[in-house]
Amino acid sequence: MINLAGRDVGNHLGRYVLTGVGLGLLIGVTLTMAGVYRGMVDDAKVLLRAVHADVWVVQQDTLGPFAEPSSLQDDVYRSLLGLPGVAEAGNVAYLTMQVKHDGKDMRVMIAGYTPGSLGGPAFLVAGRPIAQSHYEAVADVKTGLAVGDRIRIRRHEFAVVGLTRRMVSSGGDPMVFIPLKDAQEAQFLKDNESIVNDRQRLAVNPAVNRPGQPGVLQAVEAIQTASHRVNAVLVRVREGFDARQVADHIQRWKHLTAYTTSDMEDVLVAKLIATAAKQIALFLVILAIVSAAIVAFIIYTMTMGKIKEIAVLKLIGTRDRTIAAMILQEALGLGVIGFFVGKFAATLWVPVFPKHVLLETTDAVAAFAITLVICSLASVLAIRAALNIDPAEAISG
Amino acid sequence: MVDPMPPQRPAILIENLTKRYGSGPTAVDALKGVDMQIFPGEVVGLIGPSGSGKTTLLKCLGAVIEPTSGRFTLAGDVIYDNAWKRKDLRALRRDRIGFVFQAPYLIPFLNATDNVALLPMLAGVDNAVARKTAVDMLTALDVQHRAHARVSELSGGEQQRVAIARALANKPPIILADEPTAPLDSERALGVVRILHRLAHEFQTAIIVVTHDEKIIPTFKRIYQIRDGRTYEEAGEGREV
Ligand SMILES: Nc1ncnc2c1ncn2[C@@H]1O[C@H](COP(=O)(O)OP(=O)(O)OP(=O)(O)O)[C@@H](O)[C@H]1O
Ligand SMILES: [Mg+2]
């Protein structure tokens, strides 16, 4: 038996392939959407893994530091070091802000950490780690910065001494690592006007500004302007201890909330990007429905264009099965062309996206299966119509 | 060419066949009682004014539409007796009936050979064997030189000859031809009729040819006139083509 679908397609190959390409672009968009979601999840996880902490300690009853604000006293880490199972503890401060480079603003996530302790970049692709306790920075390559560049964060200039990669916030902003003290200053430092304002208020407060005791005013001013707060304390667990147990222990004794890395992953994926994920999921569903409708429409139109031929095929004794197979194969063929075009298109345009887009093979395999299922379902309408064609249509006159 | 005496059993035997389209006041009685018999190897003309029921009769015989009442048998097998007596009408059409229409209705996405070979293939014949049969048929109809052409590249006469080859491909005992020469000039029309006569003789096929064509009517030995849904048998000239 001849493959009727193959012959029919071969007869107007150009049109068929073009249709497949059109469908492919749609599938490409779908794959990209899925990739955007995977990229978001991946960014969140990469950030957590790269930080190399086993336990994240944050302000009590918060989902901090990324999903909710969290503020801790910066000496908390000392008391954590005394707990069993804690090998290392380091303060970190995170803030998303605009920094200036070459007169241009760029949006980054500043990560402040104590050089030499936890919370720094996992690895460098250029330059060296931060060595001084002030005004040095390590930036993600996505910032476009190079070693030796100077950036302005608030009132201070920082020298970029090293570059790292794949360190972005869950919002997609590239990270810039700086010493903790600088980050604290950038985060909690008041601007000049409010400092002046506060000073004046203190100066006229008789409880603080006592005659003959000038030192009291100065001490209070110093407390108000200096910052001693951080967003989280990262903990590395001693060999042989379980992160879960250490986290529970910290939580029980220290009036803090402690997450293991996998808890944090859940927080980021389930809470922080949950809405975005729903948005994307809905978009994917709509795309799937639109694709299905388009395939159904195309296949239906293609079939209706062959009414005479199908009537003749029936007249000369072709089985319904054979006719249905022809239509189904043409539909699946469109799906296959569409899938590969879509995959190719997605690979082409993904690098242009500003955020990390992760095209996973498992997603592609699933998309392929779904495409084939959609094409099969979409051909049902056309097959039904074809089977209803009266062979008498072939004889007119 | 002298036809042998018709054998005893007719290839087609139609008794009091009727066909009513629709129902109620708008019903059309297209066939009101048709009686015909055609023997193997015979080519019979079916003529009549427009709307007299010629195409309707061919559709009934071809098991494409269901008659309303009456009876017909093909080579002694009762096909219809006030109801279908066969379940698989599509297989019946495939194996026992060849159709030739006014428009050739070839499958445009198959070349000439495969249009013809499709029939034996549908009957389960191996592709290579089916194609060989097809080429033989195309050769018999003198279009073998166009065997690999696409349908759109064939002339009207060539298409019609390929369509006849297709009708013959499964060597059906019956061929139903509905104005097969209408789109052809008289030279080619006579050519097609000559082929039909020759094939009828060669394969003992019973052929009904519906026609308006004054040039080919004299070639039939027997003619059925159809008027107002009823048939009247006439002797034809049986002129040599
Ligand atoms: N599907 C149909 N439904 C209703 N009436 C029909 C249908 N097909 C044919 N008829 C009617 O049945 C009658 C016979 O039609 P038929 O097509 O058999 O005529 P014909 O002899 O082939 O005519 P022509 O020479 O014009 O082809 C006509 O009156 C026609 O209008
Ligand atoms: Mg007619």
Side-chain angles (χ1 to χ4, degrees):
Chain A
M1 186 59 202
I2 323 173
N3 184 295
L4 293 174
R7 297 306 186 83
D8 184 29
V9 166
N11 199 42
H12 43 76
L13 192 61
R15 202 175 65 187
Y16 185 81
V17 169
L18 269 182
T19 311
V21 169
L23 180 67
L25 295 177
L26 199 61
I27 293 175
V29 171
T30 315
L31 286 173
T32 310
M33 271 335 274
V36 166
Y37 170 71
R38 294 290 183 204
M40 279 166 56
V41 173
D42 195 52
D43 278 349
K45 292 186 176 171
V46 159
L47 173 63
L48 293 179
R49 296 229 178 90
V51 163
H52 271 317
D54 299 317
V55 176
W56 292 66
V57 182
V58 299
Q59 184 181 338
Q60 193 168 27
D61 298 330
T62 69
L63 296 171
F66 303 112
E68 271 183 344
S70 149
S71 175
L72 300 173
Q73 214 51 48
D74 66 0
D75 53 6
V76 163
Y77 84 99
R78 269 187 247 270
S79 62
L80 293 179
L81 280 174
L83 292 177
V86 175
E88 246 187 293
N91 285 324
V92 283
Y94 296 106
L95 60 151
T96 300
M97 62 183 297
Q98 307 279 339
V99 301
K100 268 195 166 47
H101 171 244
D102 252 357
K104 267 181 288 183
D105 270 349
M106 71 174 122
R107 191 179 168 76
V108 300
M109 183 160 99
I110 300 287
Y113 74 106
T114 315
S117 180
L118 293 174
F123 59 93
L124 296 182
V125 292
R128 58 166 176 86
I130 294 175
Q132 297 179 1
S133 52
H134 281 297
Y135 310 135
E136 283 190 347
V138 168
D140 187 278
V141 287
K142 271 192 114 181
T143 56
L145 295 168
V147 174
D149 281 351
R150 301 192 72 78
I151 52 174
R152 175 170 279 277
I153 301 174
R154 291 276 190 113
R155 269 177 287 178
H156 299 290
E157 285 245 317
F158 287 73
V160 177
V161 296
L163 294 177
T164 182
R165 196 149 48 81
R166 293 283 298 111
M167 301 294 280
V168 294
S169 76
S170 56
D173 304 314
M175 293 178 75
V176 172
F177 293 84
I178 60 174
L180 181 71
K181 290 245 178 300
D182 296 342
Q184 283 177 311
E185 198 182 328
Q187 185 169 22
F188 299 107
L189 197 62
K190 298 163 185 168
D191 57 47
N192 287 338
E193 214 163 295
S194 48
I195 292 173
V196 170
N197 191 291
D198 281 349
R199 279 199 186 142
Q200 283 168 351
R201 280 158 56 134
L202 286 177
V204 298
N205 186 342
V208 180
N209 194 1
R210 294 190 175 180
Q213 289 180 314
V216 175
L217 177 63
Q218 270 165 25
V220 173
E221 271 175 9
I223 290 170
Q224 281 209 339
T225 43
S227 169
H228 301 286
R229 304 200 74 84
V230 293
N231 300 120
V233 179
L234 304 180
V235 169
R236 248 223 354 249
V237 168
R238 205 179 290 279
E239 194 100 25
F241 281 83
D242 179 39
R244 169 91 276 143
Q245 282 171 352
V246 173
D248 287 349
H249 191 77
I250 294 171
Q251 188 143 326
R252 201 163 325 122
W253 296 108
K254 294 289 172 190
H255 300 290
L256 298 165
T257 294
Y259 297 109
T260 63
T261 300
S262 77
D263 290 339
M264 275 304 275
E265 273 186 24
D266 290 346
V267 167
L268 283 184
V269 174
K271 301 280 180 351
L272 195 57
I273 59 179
T275 319
K278 267 185 211 141
Q279 187 103 335
I280 290 174
L282 199 60
F283 197 68
L284 282 176
V285 170
I286 292 173
L287 273 175
I289 293 172
V290 169
S291 313
I294 289 179
V295 177
F297 177 72
I298 292 169
I299 295 292
Y300 187 78
T301 317
M302 261 165 52
T303 306
M304 288 302 100
K306 287 197 289 277
I307 289 184
K308 265 272 138 73
E309 287 86 335
I310 291 172
V312 172
L313 285 173
K314 286 182 157 188
L315 185 73
I316 63 177
T318 311
R319 303 235 161 257
D320 284 348
R321 192 168 3 106
T322 312
I323 294 169
M326 171 175 85
I327 295 169
L328 180 65
Q329 284 166 15
E330 290 185 16
L332 292 178
L334 275 185
V336 171
I337 295 178
F339 175 77
F340 285 105
V341 170
K343 185 89 183 65
F344 180 68
T347 328
L348 273 191
W349 65 47
V350 150
V352 186
F353 276 65
K355 282 179 73 174
H356 178 48
V357 180
L358 185 62
L359 299 174
E360 294 215 49
T361 314
T362 46
D363 286 347
V365 171
F368 187 62
I370 292 170
T371 305
L372 295 188
V373 169
I374 284 180
C375 286
S376 313
L377 291 179
S379 63
V380 168
L381 195 69
I383 289 175
R384 283 185 49 163
L387 297 188
N388 279 331
I389 293 173
D390 186 355
E393 296 246 6
I395 314 172
S396 49
Chain B
M1 195 199 290
V2 180
D3 279 3
M5 277 300 291
Q8 284 309 299
R9 198 172 67 176
I12 307 171
L13 177 64
I14 307 169
E15 295 159 281
N16 199 26
L17 200 70
T18 73
K19 172 65 188 177
R20 164 176 291 190
Y21 285 113
S23 58
T26 56
V28 177
D29 283 305
L31 302 177
K32 294 178 182 163
V34 169
D35 294 292
M36 282 169 82
Q37 51 181 337
I38 298 125
F39 293 90
E42 209 184 8
V43 184
V44 166
L46 180 62
I47 60 176
S50 180
S52 55
K54 304 181 295 291
T55 299
T56 301
L57 179 57
L58 291 199
K59 283 180 180 173
C60 289
L61 292 180
V64 177
I65 60 173
E66 186 170 1
T68 304
S69 70
R71 179 183 147 93
F72 77 87
T73 62
L74 299 182
D77 289 344
V78 181
I79 306 297
Y80 182 86
D81 190 356
N82 289 313
W84 291 119
K85 295 291 161 194
R86 296 298 272 336
K87 270 212 197 84
D88 194 347
L89 298 176
R90 229 177 264 195
L92 173 80
R93 289 201 295 268
R94 183 187 68 208
D95 299 333
R96 300 180 63 173
I97 300 164
F99 292 94
V100 182
F101 322 110
Q102 175 173 339
Y105 292 144
L106 298 174
I107 308 292
F109 51 82
L110 300 180
N111 66 20
T113 308
D114 285 344
N115 258 285
V116 178
L118 183 60
L119 264 106
M121 286 178 189
L122 288 174
V125 173
D126 179 72
N127 282 8
V129 177
R131 288 212 172 92
K132 170 134 191 359
T133 309
V135 171
D136 288 348
M137 286 300 157
L138 292 173
T139 308
L141 286 144
D142 208 21
V143 276
Q144 73 280 15
H145 58 290
R146 305 297 282 144
H148 298 291
R150 292 151 139 260
V151 169
S152 58
E153 297 160 358
L154 297 173
S155 77
E158 286 167 344
Q159 287 188 26
Q160 194 58 298
R161 278 182 281 162
V162 173
I164 295 171
R166 178 177 69 186
L168 293 165
N170 277 349
K171 305 240 165 57
I174 292 153
I175 289 180
L176 305 173
D178 197 354
E179 304 194 31
T181 61
L184 306 179
D185 61 43
S186 53
E187 189 63 33
R188 296 196 187 284
L190 281 174
V192 165
V193 173
R194 189 183 305 125
I195 290 165
L196 289 176
H197 280 286
R198 195 185 80 218
L199 295 170
H201 183 74
E202 211 167 293
F203 301 118
Q204 287 299 293
T205 313
I207 302 180
I208 302 180
V209 181
V210 170
T211 189
H212 283 122
D213 194 333
E214 295 297 335
K215 297 235 181 31
I216 69 169
I217 290 172
T219 67
F220 303 116
K221 283 211 190 66
R222 258 177 353 113
I223 291 169
Y224 281 94
Q225 272 271 3
I226 182 162
R227 254 179 287 122
D228 195 24
R230 281 176 222 282
T231 41
Y232 305 89
E233 190 182 339
E234 290 175 3
E237 293 176 36
R239 208 183 280 165
E240 197 76 32
V241 267

